[in-house]
Each structure stands twice: as structure tokens, then as C-alpha cells.
Amino acid sequence: MQRTTIDGVTVLWAPGPAPLAAALTFGCGARDETFRTIGVTHLIEHLVMSTLPRLHHEHNASVDLEATRFTASGRPEQITAFLAAVCAALSDLPLDRIPHEAGVLTAEASSVTFPAAAFLLNQRYGARGPGLAPYIGPGHDRLPPDTVQAHAAAYFTRANAVLQLTGPPPEGLRLPLPEGRPPHRTAPAARTGASWDEAPIEGAGIALAMPLGSPAAALGLALLEHRLTDVARHRRGLSYAVLAESCPRDAHTMDALVALDSRPGHDAETAELLWQETLRLGRELPTEDELAEEIEGFRESYEDPRAVQAELDLAASRELSGLPARDAATRLAGLRSVAPEEIRACFARALTTAQLVVAPDVEPRLTGPDGQPLPRGGCCGQGPLPAGEVFRPPLLARARYGAARRSRLVLTDDGVAELDGDGRPHRMPFDEIVGVERNGDDRTLFGASGCLIELSPQKYSGCGKVVRAVDAAVPAGLAYEVSDLVPQEREETRPPSPGRLSRT
């Protein structure tokens, strides 16, 4: 792999099959947003692509948790023109197109990862950083132009970009991106302790904190995927696919996210299978034959002539993260040096903070690594609600519904608390509110922990006082009017708030 610099941008290239392929990658993804600016990175990508003329060669752009990529393949002169147009648009965003592109993005309704991974990250981090993955947010039409411009100026710069090419840089290639400094990415605090919770998914998923770049982790995860496929699909017919994703937490740790889909009516069985197979890797040594089989799979993948773009992607990701490059030969040697005990130890450590998500209304029977029942997690705390002014649902609702009889809303000096209809407590200090959705007299509060509390006279009598307290205490910049682009669905079919969760 070759390395050079053009206009202050790092360029990585390696020979690959024709035509020439390019990827201009920025170290900016959905995790770099706040609740109030959810979707701003995707909006910037759309604004840039909207400036391009009609092109007769392959081109695209994408946003995931970690990065934004502008990609194209074609003749060298086509690649040169494409990259010049992208850089020009990033230097002068067409902000007047925000209303139009907001509608397009609403129709697209894309997600930055698969549903189980999104909810696992939310369970791990709450409504910050990677934990923002399952939210729709305020809506693209609620992103002010100055917010869009500021985000682009902070992240879409030459200091935060890497260009990948499957051949030498074309003659005359320029990358006139705006100046800037490498952004500083801070990982939000992660929840500790092993737990499970439900989420609006099918099947189940698990999050495992593991050393970033660890050969033992890579080999163990590949083995877990194989075992799950063998048992869940081939032997028991419970599942079609195993999905896997990883999300770097910092320079040392990643969250490995593994999920199984499930045929209807078997979500509990699928969740228990996923947990038990993961637990087995933390307790029992894998066989030498199993490891040899997985290593052979990695070798085939690394030596495939079509792997050049994947190798460039990995090198760009490490470059943008400030990590040293590691070529395929080095990674393969690391895998071959792994002892079975290293895999068991890696999973045993990860299981102490593992988090599981299951389908709604599923209560799996799980035992933690310590032999005790695996506790339920989520945003909910323990113990009684704090002292304060108490509000209850209207009398008619209490007469008709058990959930209403159990519910309580409490206004304290420094926040709001709720006992929901399932008897679970939620506490939301004013200084931990990350978003307030306004819909007439109603408010939906989003907390950093992942909590959501709805304030409505239909839900709690006299809660106008709570609404006024929230409006006075929470910074105005965190509040927004409900999006005009998200239809107000019927109450029985909509999630707790139209801004709460992505429609995955």
C-alpha cells in the first residue's frame, strides 16, 4: 500500500482491478452528533451530492456510525472531476436546499446500523455518542442552517479526511477541502455490569466490550458467528442470519455487536441460545480444529484479489483514528499466534459487562457468569421515586386501566421522575435532558440515560406546571417543534414519541 499527500489530505492507494475506484472518507459519523443534531451528517452528505451534475459512471455516498464516504469508480479523469466537485460543495454548502433534502431524507428513512446493534448501543451509552443510533431525532427540517454549517466546518476538513484509490493518483488530481484541525472524539460513559432489556426488534442481540484490534477477539467472534449459524439455522431452524458489527469505543476498546433474527414465536428461545453460546466461549476452550478452520477463512478473505478496497477502508479507518496501520500479513500472523485460552479469557472478561436485547414481551431465563440470574437493565433506576409534587393520570384513565393506576409523575426541584405503567422508575434531572420535543401543550423529554418521559394533560392531570418548569429549566437550544415531515400516526401504532426511535 502506497501513501502520499495531496492538498494536505492523506492519500492511500494500492493496485486493484479496473476501473479506478476512489473513496473520500471523513472521520465523522452518526456518533459525532448530539440528540439535537441527529441526522446533520447525512444531511450534509445529501447537500453535497445534490450539487453534482448528471454522471455516467458509478458514484455514491454513505454515512454510518463512524465515517462518511463519497465513492466513485470510472476513468481517471472522471474520478478527478467527481472529487473536485465534492470538495467544492463541502467548501460552499448549498444551505438553501435544506428544506428539499430534508424531505428526501425523510422518505429515505435509512439507518446507520441494523436494529439490534442500534438498541444495544443505546442500552450501553444512553442517548449520547453511539447510543444515538436508534433515534429519529427532531427531524431534518428542524436543523438550523448555522448548525449544519458549523458541523461541516468542524468535521469535513482536510485534517479529517483520507482518500483511498485502487491505483496511483490521476494526474491533475486536487482535493481543495477547507482547513481545519483533527476533531477530538470523546467516548461517553458506558454502563457497567451484565444485563438484559427488551427493544422493538425481532430475535436478540448481544454487546461485548473487547480489546480493539485483538486477534483473540476477532477469532472468537468469528467462531461465535459460526456456532450460532450452525445451531440456530442448520440444527434447530430458528434463525436465518447472524448479523455482526463493531463500534470502536476509544483507542483501546470496541463494542462487538452480534444479533440473531428469529422465526415468529421463538424469540425467547433465540435469546437464550445467543446468551448460552456466548457464555460457553467464556467457559470452555475452543478446539484447535475450530481455530484452524476460522483462520483459514480469514486467510482466504485476506488473499482474495478483490479485497483491495476492504484493505484500503481498514487502513483509512485506522489513519483517521490515529492508530498504526496493520497489513493483512500482520493480522494473519496475529491470528495464528492465538492460543485457545486467550479466547476463553477474552470472552470471560467481556461477559462481565455484556448486554443483551430481546424482542418485546420476552423474559428470557438467563444466568450470568457469576451463576446469578441476569438482571434487567435499561434506563430505569431502583428504589422509590424522589420526593416532590405528584401528578396522576386522569380519574377516568385510572378507572379503566391498571397501568394508569400504577403511574406517577413527580416534579422535584432539579428534575422530573416517573413511575411508568409497568412499575419501573425513571429519573430525569433537568441538566441531563438532551432534547425537548414540543407539540402544542405536550412535551416529550429525552434524557441522556436513554429515558423518555411524556408530559401531556391526557396522560397526567395538571402537568402543565411540569411543562412550565421544564421550559424554564432546559436551555432553549435543546427544544424543538415536532417535525412537519413525520406523520402523526394513530396512537395505537406510533412509538412513544414520533422523535424517539428510528423506523428500522
Side-chain angles (χ1 to χ4, degrees):
M1 188 175 297
Q2 305 296 311
R3 178 191 182 98
T4 188
T5 303
I6 296 176
D7 292 331
V9 177
T10 298
V11 179
L12 305 175
W13 68 273
L20 179 65
L24 182 59
T25 303
F26 293 88
C28 174
R31 66 173 294 167
D32 299 299
E33 300 167 350
T34 67
F35 185 89
R36 185 63 186 86
T37 65
I38 286 174
V40 65
T41 310
H42 201 177
L43 177 58
I44 289 170
E45 177 252 292
H46 267 239
L47 291 175
V48 170
M49 296 299 281
S50 75
T51 69
L52 300 180
R54 184 178 180 185
L55 300 176
H56 298 284
H57 62 90
E58 185 176 347
H59 62 284
N60 207 342
S62 63
V63 176
D64 60 26
L65 279 167
E66 299 291 320
T68 301
R69 297 177 181 86
F70 297 91
T71 59
S73 60
R75 299 189 305 274
E77 64 271 21
Q78 292 174 320
I79 299 301
T80 298
F82 172 81
L83 292 171
V86 167
C87 293
L90 285 169
S91 300
D92 186 18
L93 286 174
L95 299 175
D96 60 312
R97 285 192 57 81
I98 288 177
H100 178 85
E101 295 303 328
V104 174
L105 284 160
T106 303
E108 183 180 354
S110 65
S111 303
V112 293
T113 187
F114 58 89
F119 286 103
L120 284 165
L121 290 169
N122 183 248
Q123 184 175 337
R124 182 79 89 187
Y125 297 106
R128 286 178 175 155
L132 292 170
Y135 293 92
I136 294 174
H140 296 93
D141 58 330
R142 295 298 181 242
L143 293 170
D146 58 345
T147 296
V148 178
Q149 186 63 61
H151 194 78
Y155 290 99
F156 289 86
T157 68
R158 64 186 63 182
N160 195 37
V162 171
L163 175 64
Q164 304 129 251
L165 294 167
T166 58
E171 185 177 351
L173 175 63
R174 308 259 40 105
L175 299 170
L177 288 167
E179 293 280 0
R181 291 180 293 180
H184 177 66
R185 178 181 279 173
T186 302
R191 291 195 178 101
T192 59
S195 64
W196 70 274
D197 201 8
E198 65 177 48
I201 63 169
E202 296 177 356
I206 193 168
L208 301 164
M210 292 185 157
L212 183 64
S214 162
L219 204 52
L221 289 166
L223 181 54
L224 177 61
E225 287 185 55
H226 170 73
R227 286 181 174 181
L228 289 171
T229 301
D230 182 51
V231 177
R233 177 170 178 166
H234 298 305
R235 293 195 212 169
R236 293 164 65 173
L238 294 174
S239 176
Y240 173 72
V242 179
L243 300 175
E245 177 81 272
S246 65
C247 178
R249 182 183 300 182
D250 52 38
H252 310 288
T253 307
M254 71 172 183
D255 288 297
L257 312 163
V258 181
L260 278 171
D261 56 11
S262 176
R263 80 173 194 255
H266 292 265
D267 290 314
E269 187 179 356
T270 300
E272 290 164 7
L273 172 64
L274 173 59
W275 179 256
Q276 293 302 330
E277 287 298 325
T278 308
L279 198 63
R280 185 157 72 98
L281 276 169
R283 289 175 170 171
E284 302 173 9
L285 294 178
T287 69
E288 295 286 355
D289 287 345
E290 284 181 308
L291 298 190
E293 185 71 27
E294 297 307 327
I295 290 170
E296 178 62 15
F298 278 103
R299 187 194 66 77
E300 287 280 357
S301 174
Y302 292 163
E303 295 180 1
D304 189 322
R306 297 166 295 180
V308 60
Q309 291 189 49
E311 290 295 314
L312 286 165
D313 281 343
L314 179 60
S317 176
R318 294 184 69 85
E319 176 80 20
L320 290 166
S321 300
L323 299 173
R326 295 195 310 147
D327 61 19
T330 300
R331 301 199 306 277
L332 188 59
L335 293 169
R336 286 171 169 159
S337 70
V338 172
E341 175 55 38
E342 293 179 78
I343 293 176
R344 180 170 67 179
C346 182
F347 273 77
R349 287 191 297 270
L351 280 159
T352 62
T353 59
Q355 289 170 319
L356 190 79
V357 289
V358 302
D361 302 319
V362 169
E363 293 196 18
R365 295 165 293 180
L366 305 173
T367 301
D370 59 0
Q372 299 298 312
L374 190 68
R376 184 164 184 173
C379 68
C380 302
Q382 301 295 325
L385 294 180
E389 187 171 357
V390 177
F391 300 81
R392 301 186 67 189
L395 184 59
L396 181 58
R398 282 183 276 153
R400 296 177 63 184
Y401 305 111
R405 289 192 291 274
R406 290 187 291 270
S407 299
R408 301 284 189 279
L409 179 69
V410 179
L411 175 63
T412 69
D413 291 338
D414 63 352
V416 180
E418 182 182 39
L419 188 70
D420 66 23
D422 293 326
R424 306 179 74 196
H426 303 263
R427 299 173 180 85
M428 197 178 297
F430 290 135
D431 60 4
E432 291 187 11
I433 292 177
V434 296
V436 179
E437 183 176 277
R438 298 189 298 228
N439 188 4
D441 294 332
D442 296 352
R443 301 289 184 272
T444 302
L445 314 183
F446 298 88
S449 67
C451 269
L452 178 149
I453 296 178
E454 292 182 309
L455 307 178
S456 170
Q458 284 73 44
K459 186 174 182 181
Y460 290 109
S461 297
C463 76
K465 182 175 181 178
V466 186
V467 169
R468 292 190 293 273
V470 168
D471 289 347
V474 177
L478 298 181
Y480 58 93
E481 299 296 329
V482 64
S483 172
D484 289 333
L485 298 176
V486 180
Q488 299 300 298
E489 301 162 326
R490 290 184 303 167
E491 188 67 27
E492 64 268 26
T493 61
R494 59 185 284 244
S497 163
R500 183 186 184 193
L501 305 171
S502 66
R503 293 166 293 174
T504 51

